[in-house]
Amino acid sequence: MTQVLEARIPIPDGYVLIAKEELDKAFEESLLGRYWEMKDLSNRTGRSPQWLKETILYPFKDELDIKRGGFVRYPEGKGSPWKFGAMQMATWLEENLEAIL
């Protein structure tokens, strides 16, 4: 005979329990149509701009550059800002985590 155990886990006020798929969808929608600058990417990853440039942005330029079908606008001169498609960059980082760490 199989016995079923029931566990009750209280959820604190101010928190909700949602399915992972719903959370993923909300995350994607929050990034959809948004662009990051270097400081945003640095804040999201917890890595310095120098590390991002040396480890990701220059080594993967052929893949990431908007001029080559990617989603990163590389600076065109001193003082020119970096621009990143937020959703595309977040997705790319997740999919390439092993290669960049």
Side-chain angles (χ1 to χ4, degrees):
M1 182 156 107
T2 303
Q3 185 178 18
V4 176
L5 298 175
E6 185 177 305
R8 295 183 186 262
I9 302 171
I11 299 174
D13 289 340
Y15 290 84
V16 295
L17 184 64
I18 63 171
K20 183 181 181 319
E21 293 81 23
E22 289 182 50
L23 178 62
D24 290 344
K25 183 179 177 187
F27 176 72
E28 286 178 10
E29 288 175 357
S30 74
L31 297 179
L32 189 61
R34 293 187 178 258
Y35 294 89
W36 289 339
E37 294 183 356
M38 180 59 79
K39 66 180 178 188
D40 302 309
L41 182 59
S42 181
N43 288 338
R44 291 280 182 149
T45 61
R47 299 291 187 158
S48 72
Q50 190 64 34
W51 186 92
L52 292 167
K53 291 173 195 175
E54 291 173 358
T55 308
I56 298 172
L57 299 171
Y58 289 124
F60 293 95
K61 184 174 182 176
D62 288 344
E63 182 179 348
L64 300 174
D65 195 337
I66 201 163
K67 292 179 180 177
R68 297 178 178 148
F71 46 86
V72 176
R73 188 173 139 277
Y74 284 73
E76 297 195 11
K78 189 171 177 124
S80 178
W82 290 82
K83 293 285 185 180
F84 309 91
M87 186 170 74
Q88 297 95 326
M89 192 69 201
T91 301
W92 189 91
L93 288 168
E94 282 297 315
E95 291 174 354
N96 294 279
L97 190 61
E98 188 174 319
I100 59 177
L101 293 181

XYZ file of all heavy atoms in Angstrom:
830
model
N 0.842 -1.164 0.000
C 0.000 0.000 0.000
C 0.903 1.249 0.000
O 1.836 1.349 0.773
C -0.888 -0.017 1.245
C -1.823 1.144 1.295
S -3.254 0.768 2.286
C -2.979 1.708 3.729
N 0.594 2.189 -0.887
C 1.363 3.418 -1.007
C 0.770 4.475 -0.096
O -0.435 4.709 -0.091
C 1.338 3.933 -2.458
O 1.832 2.911 -3.312
C 2.195 5.162 -2.602
N 1.637 5.111 0.644
C 1.193 6.173 1.535
C 1.554 7.520 0.927
O 2.662 7.715 0.452
C 1.867 6.014 2.894
C 1.367 7.000 3.915
C 2.024 6.782 5.275
O 3.052 6.144 5.388
N 1.405 7.315 6.298
N 0.618 8.438 0.914
C 0.842 9.768 0.383
C 1.111 10.709 1.540
O 0.343 10.774 2.494
C -0.380 10.264 -0.428
C -0.158 11.683 -0.897
C -0.654 9.335 -1.592
N 2.228 11.415 1.439
C 2.569 12.393 2.465
C 2.257 13.781 1.941
O 2.478 14.084 0.773
C 4.051 12.300 2.820
C 4.522 10.969 3.405
C 6.032 10.995 3.599
C 3.833 10.688 4.723
N 1.779 14.605 2.782
C 1.449 15.972 2.391
C 2.304 16.925 3.214
O 2.404 16.793 4.421
C -0.033 16.234 2.661
C -0.497 17.580 2.180
C -1.986 17.776 2.394
O -2.769 16.943 1.922
O -2.330 18.768 3.055
N 2.932 17.851 2.513
C 3.743 18.859 3.202
C 3.131 20.222 2.933
O 2.748 20.537 1.820
C 5.178 18.815 2.692
N 3.066 21.024 3.924
C 2.563 22.390 3.778
C 3.732 23.354 3.975
O 4.430 23.286 4.975
C 1.465 22.675 4.782
C 0.233 21.832 4.537
C -0.878 22.209 5.517
N -1.984 21.297 5.364
C -3.069 21.561 4.649
N -3.180 22.709 4.030
N -4.046 20.686 4.555
N 3.898 24.188 2.986
C 4.979 25.166 3.031
C 4.343 26.541 3.001
O 3.716 26.910 2.008
C 5.939 24.992 1.838
C 6.516 23.569 1.850
C 7.038 26.042 1.864
C 7.304 23.212 0.610
N 4.489 27.295 4.064
C 3.876 28.626 4.079
C 4.612 29.582 3.134
O 5.833 29.533 3.009
C 4.011 29.075 5.529
C 5.147 28.281 6.076
C 5.164 26.980 5.310
N 3.851 30.400 2.453
C 4.418 31.417 1.570
C 4.272 32.753 2.269
O 3.156 33.170 2.589
C 3.711 31.422 0.201
C 3.898 30.051 -0.465
C 4.257 32.541 -0.679
C 3.130 29.871 -1.742
N 5.391 33.425 2.529
C 5.342 34.693 3.262
C 4.535 35.755 2.510
O 4.432 35.724 1.280
C 6.809 35.119 3.359
C 7.608 33.892 3.057
C 6.757 33.041 2.192
N 3.981 36.678 3.272
C 3.263 37.795 2.671
C 4.188 38.523 1.696
O 5.374 38.688 1.947
C 2.787 38.784 3.745
C 1.663 38.210 4.589
O 1.009 37.248 4.137
O 1.436 38.730 5.702
N 3.624 38.967 0.609
C 4.402 39.682 -0.390
C 5.034 38.776 -1.434
O 5.680 39.250 -2.355
N 4.873 37.472 -1.305
C 5.418 36.511 -2.258
C 4.281 35.716 -2.878
O 3.234 35.534 -2.277
C 6.392 35.537 -1.572
C 7.676 36.185 -1.150
C 7.775 36.871 0.056
C 8.802 36.120 -1.957
C 8.948 37.478 0.447
C 9.991 36.724 -1.571
C 10.060 37.397 -0.369
O 11.223 37.995 0.007
N 4.532 35.228 -4.098
C 3.562 34.368 -4.761
C 4.303 33.171 -5.344
O 5.511 33.223 -5.579
C 2.794 35.095 -5.894
C 1.949 36.216 -5.331
C 3.733 35.611 -6.953
N 3.583 32.125 -5.596
C 4.142 30.927 -6.210
C 3.601 30.852 -7.631
O 2.395 30.851 -7.838
C 3.717 29.694 -5.405
C 4.280 28.362 -5.849
C 5.799 28.354 -5.674
C 3.655 27.238 -5.040
N 4.520 30.846 -8.617
C 4.095 30.752 -10.011
C 4.908 29.684 -10.729
O 5.998 29.329 -10.290
C 4.212 32.100 -10.772
C 5.674 32.553 -10.849
C 3.338 33.158 -10.161
C 5.886 33.744 -11.773
N 4.381 29.203 -11.820
C 5.074 28.191 -12.622
C 6.315 28.798 -13.264
O 6.336 29.982 -13.618
C 4.138 27.656 -13.695
N 7.353 27.987 -13.429
C 8.594 28.453 -14.040
C 8.341 29.015 -15.431
O 8.919 30.023 -15.812
C 9.612 27.316 -14.105
C 10.953 27.768 -14.669
C 11.933 26.628 -14.741
C 13.282 27.033 -15.265
N 13.334 27.947 -16.359
N 7.471 28.387 -16.195
C 7.169 28.867 -17.543
C 6.605 30.286 -17.511
O 6.933 31.121 -18.348
C 6.170 27.930 -18.246
C 6.730 26.557 -18.545
C 6.700 25.624 -17.338
O 5.886 25.839 -16.400
O 7.513 24.687 -17.305
N 5.761 30.566 -16.541
C 5.195 31.915 -16.405
C 6.277 32.916 -16.022
O 6.295 34.043 -16.518
C 4.072 31.928 -15.382
C 2.819 31.226 -15.843
C 1.711 31.300 -14.807
O 1.427 32.412 -14.315
O 1.138 30.247 -14.500
N 7.177 32.516 -15.143
C 8.275 33.384 -14.748
C 9.183 33.673 -15.941
O 9.568 34.822 -16.172
C 9.086 32.750 -13.618
C 10.295 33.538 -13.131
C 9.862 34.891 -12.556
C 11.063 32.745 -12.094
N 9.518 32.632 -16.712
C 10.355 32.817 -17.898
C 9.695 33.765 -18.893
O 10.344 34.648 -19.454
C 10.639 31.472 -18.573
C 11.558 30.585 -17.758
O 12.227 31.104 -16.833
O 11.606 29.370 -18.034
N 8.384 33.604 -19.096
C 7.657 34.466 -20.024
C 7.663 35.915 -19.540
O 7.893 36.844 -20.313
C 6.222 33.978 -20.194
C 5.440 34.776 -21.204
C 4.027 34.248 -21.352
C 3.249 35.126 -22.318
N 1.848 34.777 -22.391
N 7.451 36.118 -18.257
C 7.459 37.481 -17.696
C 8.840 38.101 -17.835
O 8.971 39.290 -18.147
C 7.030 37.449 -16.230
N 9.881 37.306 -17.617
C 11.252 37.800 -17.756
C 11.507 38.237 -19.191
O 12.032 39.318 -19.444
C 12.248 36.714 -17.339
C 13.683 37.104 -17.529
C 14.279 38.048 -16.704
C 14.441 36.526 -18.531
C 15.610 38.408 -16.884
C 15.761 36.878 -18.719
C 16.348 37.820 -17.891
N 11.121 37.382 -20.150
C 11.321 37.722 -21.558
C 10.562 38.991 -21.926
O 11.089 39.860 -22.612
C 10.885 36.564 -22.449
C 11.843 35.402 -22.440
C 11.381 34.248 -23.293
O 10.401 34.396 -24.050
O 12.002 33.175 -23.207
N 9.332 39.096 -21.475
C 8.526 40.270 -21.799
C 9.110 41.538 -21.179
O 9.001 42.612 -21.754
C 7.080 40.063 -21.370
C 6.352 39.061 -22.251
C 4.948 38.750 -21.774
O 4.527 39.268 -20.718
O 4.268 37.974 -22.470
N 9.747 41.395 -20.021
C 10.344 42.571 -19.383
C 11.555 43.077 -20.166
O 11.930 44.237 -20.055
C 10.738 42.271 -17.940
O 11.895 41.458 -17.890
N 12.166 42.207 -20.961
C 13.341 42.585 -21.751
C 12.998 42.888 -23.203
O 13.791 43.516 -23.906
C 14.382 41.459 -21.715
C 14.961 41.118 -20.351
C 15.951 39.972 -20.481
C 15.619 42.318 -19.711
N 11.838 42.469 -23.644
C 11.443 42.632 -25.035
C 11.418 44.098 -25.431
O 10.809 44.928 -24.773
C 10.061 42.005 -25.251
C 9.578 41.891 -26.687
C 10.526 41.004 -27.487
C 8.171 41.314 -26.722
N 12.133 44.432 -26.491
C 12.166 45.796 -26.989
C 13.051 46.741 -26.193
O 13.102 47.932 -26.468
N 13.769 46.215 -25.224
C 14.664 47.048 -24.411
C 16.103 46.887 -24.879
O 16.480 45.867 -25.431
C 14.567 46.676 -22.937
C 13.229 47.018 -22.349
C 13.280 46.773 -20.850
N 12.021 47.152 -20.277
C 11.800 48.287 -19.622
N 12.781 49.136 -19.463
N 10.624 48.552 -19.129
N 16.866 47.920 -24.609
C 18.287 47.909 -24.940
C 19.091 48.199 -23.685
O 18.660 48.951 -22.829
C 18.591 48.951 -26.023
C 17.936 48.582 -27.320
C 16.651 49.001 -27.618
C 18.597 47.759 -28.221
C 16.034 48.624 -28.800
C 17.990 47.376 -29.400
C 16.709 47.814 -29.683
O 16.101 47.426 -30.834
N 20.232 47.554 -23.609
C 21.150 47.794 -22.505
C 22.339 48.582 -23.022
O 22.708 48.496 -24.187
C 21.684 46.483 -21.948
C 20.719 45.646 -21.184
C 19.561 46.055 -20.588
C 20.837 44.251 -20.913
N 18.958 44.997 -19.972
C 19.724 43.882 -20.148
C 21.777 43.289 -21.230
C 19.526 42.571 -19.706
C 21.581 41.995 -20.794
C 20.473 41.641 -20.036
N 22.952 49.303 -22.107
C 24.255 49.896 -22.347
C 25.261 49.061 -21.565
O 24.880 48.123 -20.856
C 24.247 51.354 -21.911
C 23.311 52.194 -22.765
C 23.328 53.671 -22.408
O 24.019 54.047 -21.442
O 22.660 54.431 -23.112
N 26.531 49.392 -21.669
C 27.571 48.598 -21.008
C 27.329 48.501 -19.504
O 27.478 47.437 -18.913
C 28.953 49.176 -21.294
C 30.079 48.398 -20.649
S 30.190 46.672 -21.146
C 30.996 46.854 -22.721
N 26.929 49.605 -18.862
C 26.711 49.561 -17.405
C 25.582 48.602 -17.050
O 25.633 47.926 -16.020
C 26.442 50.961 -16.848
C 25.152 51.570 -17.324
C 24.919 52.945 -16.762
C 23.618 53.467 -17.370
N 23.327 54.797 -17.094
N 24.554 48.507 -17.897
C 23.448 47.584 -17.648
C 23.928 46.136 -17.749
O 23.601 45.304 -16.902
C 22.311 47.810 -18.654
C 21.775 49.225 -18.609
O 21.457 49.700 -17.502
O 21.661 49.848 -19.677
N 24.705 45.841 -18.793
C 25.236 44.482 -18.961
C 26.163 44.127 -17.810
O 26.112 43.020 -17.274
C 25.964 44.368 -20.300
C 26.523 42.989 -20.628
C 25.437 41.931 -20.673
C 27.299 43.035 -21.937
N 26.986 45.067 -17.399
C 27.889 44.848 -16.279
C 27.110 44.572 -14.990
O 27.431 43.642 -14.242
C 28.809 46.062 -16.103
O 29.702 45.861 -15.045
N 26.061 45.346 -14.754
C 25.229 45.128 -13.563
C 24.520 43.785 -13.604
O 24.432 43.089 -12.589
C 24.202 46.254 -13.417
C 24.822 47.558 -12.984
O 25.901 47.592 -12.410
N 24.140 48.652 -13.277
N 24.001 43.412 -14.752
C 23.269 42.144 -14.888
C 24.169 40.938 -14.704
O 23.742 39.919 -14.178
C 22.587 42.052 -16.252
C 21.455 42.996 -16.450
C 20.210 42.471 -15.784
N 19.100 43.371 -16.019
C 17.853 43.003 -16.108
N 17.522 41.736 -15.981
N 16.905 43.879 -16.303
N 25.404 41.035 -15.178
C 26.313 39.890 -15.112
C 27.195 39.885 -13.874
O 27.774 38.856 -13.535
C 27.219 39.850 -16.355
O 27.999 41.047 -16.387
C 26.423 39.686 -17.631
N 27.336 41.043 -13.236
C 28.246 41.145 -12.100
C 29.702 41.144 -12.532
O 30.592 40.874 -11.729
N 29.947 41.427 -13.796
C 31.307 41.442 -14.339
C 31.674 42.843 -14.773
O 30.829 43.634 -15.167
C 31.420 40.506 -15.549
C 31.128 39.065 -15.244
C 32.207 38.479 -14.375
N 32.022 37.042 -14.221
C 32.978 36.218 -13.888
N 34.185 36.668 -13.648
N 32.742 34.945 -13.755
N 32.947 43.152 -14.755
C 33.415 44.481 -15.148
C 33.310 44.648 -16.660
O 33.361 43.653 -17.412
C 34.871 44.676 -14.721
O 35.719 43.886 -15.531
N 33.202 45.888 -17.125
C 33.213 46.112 -18.571
C 34.463 45.533 -19.241
O 34.368 44.964 -20.334
C 33.174 47.639 -18.688
C 32.433 48.079 -17.466
C 32.914 47.131 -16.387
N 35.600 45.642 -18.588
C 36.836 45.096 -19.156
C 36.736 43.584 -19.334
O 37.106 43.041 -20.373
C 38.038 45.455 -18.268
C 39.365 45.145 -18.900
C 39.628 45.967 -20.154
O 39.225 47.113 -20.253
N 40.292 45.370 -21.117
N 36.223 42.878 -18.317
C 36.054 41.422 -18.407
C 35.091 41.073 -19.531
O 35.338 40.143 -20.312
C 35.536 40.862 -17.078
C 35.478 39.364 -17.044
C 36.450 38.514 -16.603
C 34.391 38.533 -17.484
N 36.035 37.211 -16.740
C 34.773 37.194 -17.276
C 33.139 38.786 -18.029
C 33.953 36.117 -17.594
C 32.312 37.712 -18.350
C 32.718 36.394 -18.132
N 33.977 41.792 -19.622
C 32.995 41.535 -20.676
C 33.606 41.701 -22.059
O 33.381 40.883 -22.950
C 31.790 42.466 -20.510
C 30.931 42.204 -19.273
C 29.974 43.362 -19.042
C 30.182 40.888 -19.405
N 34.401 42.751 -22.235
C 35.041 42.993 -23.527
C 36.034 41.884 -23.869
O 36.040 41.360 -24.980
C 35.748 44.348 -23.534
C 34.811 45.527 -23.496
C 35.615 46.818 -23.342
C 34.741 47.976 -22.927
N 35.532 49.188 -22.673
N 36.894 41.539 -22.904
C 37.959 40.567 -23.141
C 37.451 39.131 -23.282
O 38.029 38.340 -24.017
C 38.980 40.615 -22.006
C 39.790 41.889 -21.972
C 40.684 42.003 -20.746
O 40.661 41.096 -19.874
O 41.408 43.007 -20.649
N 36.376 38.801 -22.565
C 35.906 37.415 -22.507
C 34.751 37.118 -23.458
O 34.616 35.996 -23.932
C 35.484 37.078 -21.058
O 36.547 37.423 -20.176
C 35.147 35.616 -20.899
N 33.930 38.133 -23.736
C 32.729 37.892 -24.545
C 32.690 38.748 -25.802
O 32.603 38.230 -26.921
C 31.451 38.162 -23.713
C 31.385 37.216 -22.518
C 30.202 38.033 -24.580
C 30.270 37.527 -21.537
N 32.729 40.050 -25.633
C 32.400 40.947 -26.733
C 33.386 40.928 -27.895
O 32.964 40.933 -29.056
C 32.207 42.365 -26.195
C 31.060 42.455 -25.189
C 31.042 43.819 -24.519
C 29.728 42.154 -25.851
N 34.676 40.892 -27.618
C 35.634 40.825 -28.723
C 35.835 39.395 -29.237
O 35.834 39.180 -30.452
C 36.943 41.512 -28.355
C 36.785 43.019 -28.277
C 37.112 43.726 -27.131
C 36.270 43.734 -29.353
C 36.939 45.103 -27.055
C 36.094 45.112 -29.290
C 36.432 45.788 -28.139
O 36.257 47.151 -28.073
N 35.964 38.396 -28.371
C 36.121 37.032 -28.898
C 34.923 36.539 -29.723
O 35.088 35.733 -30.629
C 36.300 36.182 -27.639
C 36.834 37.112 -26.617
C 36.182 38.437 -26.915
N 33.713 37.006 -29.421
C 32.512 36.556 -30.127
C 31.944 37.633 -31.050
O 30.770 37.593 -31.416
C 31.449 36.113 -29.112
C 31.832 34.882 -28.339
C 32.431 34.989 -27.092
C 31.601 33.621 -28.854
C 32.782 33.860 -26.370
C 31.952 32.483 -28.150
C 32.554 32.589 -26.904
N 32.784 38.578 -31.445
C 32.315 39.713 -32.251
C 31.657 39.278 -33.559
O 30.638 39.837 -33.962
C 33.459 40.683 -32.536
C 32.996 41.929 -33.275
C 34.098 42.954 -33.423
C 33.555 44.194 -34.136
N 34.556 45.246 -34.219
N 32.229 38.284 -34.221
C 31.646 37.834 -35.490
C 30.189 37.401 -35.327
O 29.375 37.588 -36.217
C 32.451 36.667 -36.085
C 33.799 37.112 -36.621
O 33.990 38.330 -36.816
O 34.658 36.243 -36.848
N 29.870 36.832 -34.203
C 28.516 36.354 -33.926
C 27.605 37.451 -33.368
O 26.408 37.480 -33.660
C 28.603 35.201 -32.922
C 27.306 34.565 -32.557
C 27.467 33.421 -31.577
O 28.609 32.958 -31.331
O 26.445 32.984 -31.037
N 28.149 38.350 -32.572
C 27.346 39.326 -31.840
C 27.124 40.654 -32.548
O 26.122 41.331 -32.296
C 27.999 39.602 -30.475
C 28.147 38.411 -29.541
C 28.927 38.809 -28.293
C 26.800 37.835 -29.176
N 28.026 41.036 -33.430
C 27.978 42.355 -34.070
C 26.711 42.533 -34.899
O 26.380 41.699 -35.743
C 29.205 42.546 -34.955
C 29.440 43.987 -35.363
O 28.480 44.791 -35.367
O 30.593 44.314 -35.691
N 26.013 43.628 -34.664
C 24.773 43.920 -35.380
C 25.006 44.043 -36.890
O 24.129 43.730 -37.694
C 24.090 45.181 -34.798
C 22.614 45.193 -35.154
C 24.789 46.445 -35.240
C 21.796 46.150 -34.298
N 26.205 44.445 -37.272
C 26.542 44.563 -38.698
C 26.680 43.199 -39.370
O 26.718 43.107 -40.586
C 27.840 45.346 -38.873
C 27.712 46.802 -38.483
C 29.037 47.511 -38.647
C 28.909 48.976 -38.252
N 30.201 49.673 -38.334
N 26.755 42.162 -38.552
C 26.896 40.792 -39.070
C 25.695 39.937 -38.692
O 25.791 38.718 -38.632
C 28.183 40.180 -38.537
C 29.411 40.924 -39.008
C 30.667 40.342 -38.442
N 31.827 41.063 -38.963
C 32.928 41.236 -38.287
N 33.058 40.751 -37.079
N 33.931 41.903 -38.820
N 24.581 40.601 -38.373
C 23.354 39.866 -38.050
C 23.134 39.620 -36.573
O 22.183 38.941 -36.196
N 24.000 40.153 -35.724
C 23.866 39.970 -34.277
C 22.992 41.038 -33.658
O 22.145 41.640 -34.314
N 23.233 41.335 -32.401
C 22.393 42.251 -31.637
C 23.196 43.213 -30.766
O 22.662 43.834 -29.860
C 21.422 41.451 -30.766
C 22.103 40.327 -30.029
C 22.714 40.556 -28.822
C 22.164 39.067 -30.589
C 23.376 39.543 -28.159
C 22.819 38.032 -29.925
C 23.420 38.272 -28.712
N 24.495 43.315 -31.030
C 25.369 44.218 -30.276
C 25.870 45.310 -31.216
O 26.421 45.017 -32.277
C 26.573 43.475 -29.657
C 27.513 44.451 -28.964
C 26.098 42.399 -28.691
N 25.658 46.549 -30.811
C 26.219 47.669 -31.565
C 27.541 48.036 -30.910
O 27.585 48.534 -29.789
C 25.290 48.880 -31.573
C 25.790 49.964 -32.513
C 24.750 51.080 -32.617
N 25.383 52.380 -32.624
C 25.779 53.076 -31.556
N 25.591 52.627 -30.351
N 26.335 54.248 -31.684
N 28.623 47.734 -31.618
C 29.958 48.023 -31.110
C 30.246 49.512 -31.286
O 29.772 50.118 -32.242
C 30.996 47.182 -31.861
C 31.009 45.742 -31.406
C 29.982 44.873 -31.757
C 32.032 45.265 -30.601
C 29.971 43.560 -31.321
C 32.035 43.946 -30.164
C 31.004 43.100 -30.526
O 31.004 41.806 -30.078
N 31.012 50.102 -30.375
C 31.346 51.524 -30.506
C 32.082 51.788 -31.810
O 32.890 50.973 -32.245
C 32.262 51.801 -29.311
C 32.084 50.665 -28.379
C 31.634 49.501 -29.197
N 31.790 52.916 -32.403
C 32.436 53.259 -33.664
C 33.554 54.266 -33.479
O 34.151 54.711 -34.446
C 31.392 53.756 -34.650
C 30.393 52.661 -34.958
C 29.554 52.953 -36.168
O 29.867 53.900 -36.912
O 28.588 52.217 -36.366
N 33.810 54.637 -32.251
C 34.896 55.563 -31.960
C 34.939 55.821 -30.475
O 34.062 55.405 -29.723
N 35.961 56.509 -30.046
C 36.116 56.807 -28.625
C 34.907 57.605 -28.144
O 34.497 58.573 -28.765
C 37.403 57.596 -28.402
C 37.728 57.753 -26.944
C 39.107 58.337 -26.753
C 39.322 58.538 -25.271
N 40.477 57.879 -24.778
N 34.311 57.168 -27.042
C 33.153 57.842 -26.471
C 31.831 57.364 -27.041
O 30.773 57.722 -26.543
N 31.880 56.550 -28.083
C 30.659 55.991 -28.674
C 30.161 54.855 -27.765
O 30.954 54.012 -27.344
C 30.974 55.467 -30.070
O 29.849 54.892 -30.660
N 28.862 54.817 -27.464
C 28.374 53.822 -26.494
C 28.173 52.430 -27.100
O 27.944 52.277 -28.294
C 27.033 54.403 -26.055
C 26.551 55.148 -27.243
C 27.790 55.722 -27.889
N 28.265 51.437 -26.241
C 27.872 50.079 -26.580
C 26.356 50.012 -26.458
O 25.782 50.612 -25.550
C 28.473 49.086 -25.587
C 29.951 48.906 -25.668
C 30.896 49.715 -25.094
C 30.657 47.868 -26.320
N 32.148 49.231 -25.357
C 32.021 48.076 -26.107
C 30.259 46.759 -27.055
C 32.997 47.248 -26.607
C 31.229 45.917 -27.556
C 32.579 46.161 -27.337
N 25.698 49.229 -27.304
C 24.260 48.987 -27.196
C 24.015 47.499 -27.405
O 24.599 46.879 -28.293
C 23.472 49.777 -28.251
C 23.519 51.275 -28.065
C 22.642 51.701 -26.928
C 22.619 53.223 -26.837
N 21.811 53.713 -25.772
N 23.128 46.934 -26.584
C 22.830 45.510 -26.636
C 21.322 45.313 -26.666
O 20.609 45.932 -25.873
C 23.361 44.797 -25.379
C 24.795 45.093 -25.075
C 25.134 46.145 -24.238
C 25.792 44.327 -25.623
C 26.460 46.429 -23.952
C 27.131 44.606 -25.342
C 27.458 45.660 -24.499
N 20.829 44.440 -27.536
C 19.444 44.015 -27.457
C 19.314 43.215 -26.171
O 19.968 42.174 -26.003
N 18.535 43.696 -25.208
C 18.505 43.096 -23.870
C 18.066 41.633 -23.888
O 18.732 40.772 -23.310
C 17.600 43.918 -22.955
N 16.954 41.342 -24.538
C 16.467 39.965 -24.543
C 17.434 39.043 -25.276
O 17.751 37.947 -24.806
C 15.078 39.868 -25.172
C 14.487 38.467 -25.052
S 12.765 38.367 -25.519
C 12.903 38.508 -27.292
N 17.934 39.500 -26.417
C 18.866 38.670 -27.185
C 20.148 38.417 -26.404
O 20.687 37.310 -26.416
C 19.197 39.329 -28.528
C 18.008 39.481 -29.440
C 17.371 40.862 -29.320
O 17.336 41.465 -28.258
N 16.846 41.360 -30.424
N 20.650 39.448 -25.718
C 21.891 39.283 -24.958
C 21.684 38.344 -23.781
O 22.522 37.472 -23.528
C 22.394 40.648 -24.469
C 23.805 40.603 -23.917
S 24.991 40.310 -25.237
C 26.382 39.690 -24.329
N 20.582 38.504 -23.069
C 20.289 37.623 -21.930
C 20.176 36.174 -22.397
O 20.721 35.255 -21.766
C 19.016 38.073 -21.227
N 19.501 35.957 -23.501
C 19.347 34.606 -24.048
C 20.692 34.050 -24.492
O 21.038 32.901 -24.191
C 18.357 34.622 -25.229
O 17.099 35.121 -24.770
C 18.174 33.234 -25.820
N 21.476 34.866 -25.187
C 22.785 34.417 -25.658
C 23.687 34.029 -24.488
O 24.377 33.007 -24.538
C 23.453 35.511 -26.504
C 24.689 35.031 -27.194
C 24.777 34.482 -28.431
C 26.020 35.044 -26.656
N 26.081 34.154 -28.703
C 26.871 34.483 -27.629
C 26.573 35.471 -25.452
C 28.242 34.342 -27.440
C 27.945 35.329 -25.256
C 28.755 34.771 -26.241
N 23.675 34.825 -23.443
C 24.494 34.516 -22.267
C 24.099 33.180 -21.652
O 24.956 32.379 -21.284
C 24.385 35.639 -21.224
C 25.084 36.945 -21.589
C 24.664 38.047 -20.625
C 26.598 36.788 -21.612
N 22.806 32.932 -21.529
C 22.331 31.658 -20.979
C 22.756 30.492 -21.851
O 23.211 29.462 -21.360
C 20.805 31.664 -20.826
C 20.318 32.422 -19.628
C 20.790 31.825 -18.308
O 20.734 30.596 -18.140
O 21.226 32.600 -17.443
N 22.598 30.641 -23.154
C 22.900 29.547 -24.091
C 24.397 29.293 -24.219
O 24.804 28.205 -24.604
C 22.304 29.862 -25.461
C 20.796 29.809 -25.464
C 20.175 30.271 -26.777
O 20.917 30.760 -27.676
O 18.948 30.149 -26.903
N 25.229 30.277 -23.908
C 26.668 30.156 -24.094
C 27.454 30.188 -22.784
O 28.657 30.413 -22.796
C 27.165 31.256 -25.038
C 26.621 31.066 -26.435
O 27.144 30.272 -27.203
N 25.547 31.751 -26.750
N 26.766 29.980 -21.701
C 27.381 30.067 -20.373
C 28.631 29.219 -20.252
O 29.672 29.666 -19.785
C 26.351 29.685 -19.304
C 26.753 29.941 -17.877
C 27.002 31.431 -17.643
C 25.664 29.445 -16.928
N 28.552 27.996 -20.706
C 29.693 27.081 -20.585
C 30.904 27.584 -21.384
O 32.033 27.500 -20.914
C 29.292 25.675 -21.064
C 30.346 24.642 -20.783
C 29.873 23.245 -21.128
O 28.706 22.921 -20.850
O 30.693 22.488 -21.688
N 30.657 28.128 -22.556
C 31.758 28.594 -23.404
C 32.455 29.825 -22.843
O 33.638 30.030 -23.086
C 31.234 28.897 -24.812
N 31.711 30.654 -22.089
C 32.307 31.909 -21.613
C 32.832 31.842 -20.196
O 33.510 32.754 -19.754
C 31.331 33.086 -21.755
C 30.049 32.858 -20.971
C 31.043 33.368 -23.199
C 29.062 34.013 -21.017
N 32.534 30.776 -19.474
C 33.055 30.674 -18.103
C 34.200 29.739 -18.027
O 34.755 29.007 -18.195
C 31.954 30.246 -17.136
C 30.863 31.249 -16.931
C 29.840 30.727 -15.939
C 31.408 32.563 -16.405
